[in-house]
Amino acid sequence: MSVRVRFAPSPTGYLHIGGARTALFNWLYARHVGGTFILRVEDTDAARNTQEAVDVILSGLRWMGLDWDEGPQTGAADGPSKGDRGPYFQSQRGEIYKRRVQELKDKGLAYDHEGAVKFRMQREPVTIPDLVVGDVVRELTDREKFDPDFVIVRSDGQPVFHLVNVIDDLEMAITHVIRGEDHLSNTAKHIALFKAFGVAPPQYAHIPLILNKDGSKMSKRDTGASLSGYVEDGYAPEAVVNYLCLLGWSPKGNREVVPIKEVVELFDLPHILRHNARFDLAKLHWINGEYIKQMDASRFGQLAQEALGKAGVVTAGFAPDYVAAAFATAKEKIKQFREIPSFTDFYFKDEFAYDAEAVAKSFTAENKPRVEKLRGAFAALTTFDAATLEQALKAVSAELGVKAGALVAPVRLACTGRAVGPSLYHLVEILGRERVLKRLDAALAKMG
């Protein structure tokens, strides 16, 4: 049997972290067994759905690196990696649903009721075999014992979730339905519908919910609930994906930093944990820092460039070696890429604002002659590298009878506009003699 799985989100304006984790687990299983991963957008609610909401889902999955394997040709230039294929849209599959509803009516398993269409639900309990939860017996509620039938097409002609979900899984030959445990309550109806169509239902794997750290259910307003927040905050996609893998699954040996290629090799449905996962932003932050530490210069530069672009900082006019050297000075300093502008934007700007508090402390009348003397020392150097610059600064500070920090603070502020940042001697070397002397002159003009 060739495994076929799907992720079927509703476009509601954001991609919940639970939905992102569901997509990831489906993708991981498909990649682990060499199966097919399908993306299907459940957009039958025309009043709520917008293209913008769909774009949020697509961009989120692409940011995570989750490519899907089939779908209608779009001809779009920004399609997924396996050709220009978009997802399936339920709004474009109306004729299929009408045909299948008529099939149920012809079998006597569906009937018109007050302008709607209802399905004749079975009257006995439904057993749900689940690869994660185990066998679950769904008993009829007291109300259902009186009337277990349920609406599959509303009076406005719109098919409901239960119907289209099952029909699409049937038409797309889905073999495994991997979804959140909150959908377990729907599954008895889905199994009954599959049987009504005369086919065996797919295998179900209901994965644990993601809860807040305090054990409450994570809503869309809770911290960390929206995937777009991680994009905006400058997390590395591979770190977020790594962390989501740990929300309901665990490799042996209590390891927490596991490359995605290794996760694909290890991941399997029987290894999904039964208990609910608790979201821990501090752990994600730590994992992100670990990924940044281990990141090669090329990948770090790519993500740093994206972060600077969002901040409106342009690096296009600078030599690649200069840009790479600038980024290298920030690699050990940051934990999230949103910090990149504050650690590197001064490399790419000739004019910038000075931190007001730092100006009051460092751009003083007392410091002016000290900086002037250091400027002369820097101008006279024949070699302008970090080691030589450090020696020159320490020699001037010794001559003046002050600690090196008395010169480091005003020079850093003059060169970067800030009181903190990368190693001073390395950033001065990268900026180069001409830029540094010009910035020192600008700072001296502001001193009393």
Side-chain angles (χ1 to χ4, degrees), residues 231-247:
V231 179
E232 295 305 316
D233 284 347
Y235 283 88
E238 47 267 58
V240 174
V241 168
N242 186 150
Y243 181 65
L244 290 181
C245 291
L246 303 178
L247 295 177

Side-chain angles (χ1 to χ4, degrees), residues 127-137 177-181 183-184 187 191 202-208 269-270 272-274:
T127 298
I128 304 167
D130 194 279
L131 297 171
V132 175
V133 180
D135 285 358
V136 177
V137 178
V177 172
I178 306 168
R179 59 189 182 186
E181 193 172 326
H183 282 287
L184 188 58
T187 307
I191 288 176
Q203 296 185 66
Y204 288 95
H206 288 91
I207 58 182
L269 297 181
I272 294 176
L273 305 177
R274 179 66 188 87

Side-chain angles (χ1 to χ4, degrees), residues 319-340:
D321 288 347
Y322 176 82
V323 176
F327 288 159
T329 64
K331 192 168 186 293
E332 299 298 322
K333 298 286 185 178
I334 70 164
K335 295 294 184 183
Q336 294 169 259
F337 280 92
R338 69 175 179 180
E339 302 169 49
I340 276 287

Side-chain angles (χ1 to χ4, degrees), residues 84-300:
D84 295 337
R85 294 189 178 276
Y88 292 103
F89 289 93
Q90 286 185 336
S91 59
Q92 299 171 3
R93 298 170 61 79
E95 292 304 314
I96 297 174
Y97 307 140
K98 289 178 182 179
R99 173 170 54 82
R100 287 291 187 173
V101 169
Q102 189 60 49
E103 178 184 337
L104 292 177
K105 286 183 175 181
D106 292 343
K107 291 180 177 181
L109 296 174
Y111 57 94
D112 294 323
H113 178 78
E114 297 180 355
V117 180
K118 296 186 77 173
F119 174 71
R120 296 189 192 278
M121 182 63 177
Q122 65 184 68
R123 268 54 181 169
E124 63 274 3
V126 178
T127 298
I128 304 167
D130 194 279
L131 297 171
V132 175
V133 180
D135 285 358
V136 177
V137 178
R138 173 73 162 80
E139 302 282 353
L140 295 177
T141 65
D142 290 339
R143 187 191 66 78
E144 288 171 337
K145 288 177 183 177
F146 174 72
D147 180 17
D149 297 352
F150 59 91
V151 172
I152 55 175
V153 180
R154 294 191 293 264
S155 58
D156 63 0
Q158 288 297 316
V160 304
F161 160 75
H162 301 297
L163 178 74
V164 295
N165 187 274
V166 166
I167 291 175
D168 283 341
D169 284 348
L170 186 162
E171 294 277 342
M172 296 176 186
I174 299 301
T175 62
H176 294 73
V177 172
I178 306 168
R179 59 189 182 186
E181 193 172 326
D182 52 332
H183 282 287
L184 188 58
S185 60
N186 300 323
T187 307
K189 293 178 179 179
H190 296 181
I191 288 176
L193 280 165
F194 275 111
K195 290 181 178 178
F197 287 120
V199 298
Q203 296 185 66
Y204 288 95
H206 288 91
I207 58 182
L209 301 179
I210 299 177
L211 307 178
N212 290 313
K213 199 171 182 180
D214 63 3
S216 62
K217 186 176 180 180
M218 180 178 275
S219 74
K220 65 181 181 180
R221 291 175 296 276
D222 290 326
T223 301
S226 174
L227 185 72
S228 61
Y230 304 106
V231 179
E232 295 305 316
D233 284 347
Y235 283 88
E238 47 267 58
V240 174
V241 168
N242 186 150
Y243 181 65
L244 290 181
C245 291
L246 303 178
L247 295 177
W249 174 86
S250 177
K252 294 179 179 179
N254 294 319
R255 297 168 59 206
E256 294 185 315
V257 178
V258 189
I260 191 63
K261 287 184 179 180
E262 189 174 348
V263 176
V264 168
E265 294 175 2
L266 298 173
F267 187 88
D268 204 355
L269 297 181
H271 299 156
I272 294 176
L273 305 177
R274 179 66 188 87
H275 57 79
N276 289 329
R278 298 208 179 195
F279 186 83
D280 186 346
L281 189 61
K283 180 181 283 189
L284 170 57
H285 195 71
W286 175 81
I287 289 175
N288 195 65
E290 292 300 299
Y291 268 87
I292 290 175
K293 287 179 187 176
Q294 299 170 16
M295 205 171 277
D296 63 38
S298 175
R299 177 60 173 161
F300 183 87

Side-chain angles (χ1 to χ4, degrees), residues 18-82:
R21 193 270 310 261
T22 296
L24 173 60
F25 277 24
N26 276 277
W27 182 88
L28 284 170
Y29 186 58
R31 296 296 173 261
H32 175 73
V33 299
T36 300
F37 174 59
I38 294 169
L39 177 61
R40 185 176 79 219
V41 178
E42 298 193 335
D43 63 339
T44 54
D45 189 346
R48 294 179 58 199
N49 301 323
T50 64
Q51 184 58 47
E52 182 181 4
V54 172
D55 291 342
V56 167
I57 295 170
L58 302 187
S59 63
L61 296 181
R62 288 168 180 152
W63 184 79
M64 293 172 65
L66 305 186
D67 52 337
W68 52 97
D69 298 310
E70 69 175 52
Q73 291 283 355
T74 66
D78 62 345
S81 60
K82 294 193 176 183

Side-chain angles (χ1 to χ4, degrees), residues 318-434:
F318 297 86
D321 288 347
Y322 176 82
V323 176
F327 288 159
T329 64
K331 192 168 186 293
E332 299 298 322
K333 298 286 185 178
I334 70 164
K335 295 294 184 183
Q336 294 169 259
F337 280 92
R338 69 175 179 180
E339 302 169 49
I340 276 287
S342 65
F343 277 92
T344 63
D345 62 355
F346 61 85
Y347 287 111
F348 311 107
K349 296 179 177 181
D350 289 327
E351 296 183 4
F352 46 79
Y354 299 109
D355 178 84
E357 185 177 341
V359 166
K361 292 180 179 178
S362 296
F363 283 4
T364 63
E366 182 182 26
N367 276 340
K368 185 170 185 177
R370 297 169 179 171
V371 174
E372 286 177 335
K373 190 168 188 64
L374 182 62
R375 188 227 184 263
F378 280 180
L381 293 175
T382 55
T383 303
F384 208 77
D385 60 27
T388 307
L389 289 162
E390 182 177 7
Q391 290 174 2
L393 186 144
K394 288 182 176 178
V396 170
S397 65
E399 182 180 344
L400 296 173
V402 297
K403 292 183 178 179
L407 290 172
V408 167
V411 172
R412 179 186 296 281
L413 183 59
C415 290
T416 71
R418 298 182 176 92
V420 295
S423 162
L424 176 68
Y425 307 113
H426 289 91
L427 75 84
V428 169
E429 175 186 344
I430 293 165
L431 285 170
R433 187 194 312 271
E434 183 178 346

